[in-house]
Amino acid sequence: MEIRFEMTEDILIAYLFGELDHHSAGEIRTSLDKTMDTFRAKHLILDFGKVTFMDSAGIGVVMGRYNRVHEKGGRIFVSGAGNYIYRILEMAGVFTITELCKSPKEGIQILEKARESGGEV
């Protein structure tokens, strides 16, 4: 599993590559938390476009990051999930606490529109 980060204002975008399973979840969790803290990210976009496999440990990574983002008053998005990853996340109820977007760009646009309209971001 590999992870790359991009920061836009207070939005951290995490691009995930490979298998998000019990072998890699701890390292990914630590890397996400450290990067969010370092850059003081309020919002998080997790891009699953290049994730080839995910198990329950991957669901735990998403759920745990939701808690951290929620504490900061932020929003969390899942983007790029293919059919396989989407079904796993949907069955686990992840989309009841996260927002689904087609791409990180779309997630950023949603947040920018909320800012412009004076809505809660």
Side-chain angles (χ1 to χ4, degrees), residues 17-32:
F17 300 84
E19 297 183 359
L20 181 52
D21 57 16
H22 68 281
H23 294 293
S24 62
E27 182 179 329
I28 295 300
R29 182 181 313 111
T30 301
S31 184
L32 281 166

Side-chain angles (χ1 to χ4, degrees), residues 1 9 17 19 24 28 40-41 51 71 76 79 84 104 109 112:
M1 169 60 58
E9 295 183 32
F17 300 84
E19 297 183 359
S24 62
I28 295 300
R40 296 187 179 123
V51 174
E71 288 172 1
I76 185 168
S79 73
Y84 168 73
Q109 290 171 342
E112 286 174 350

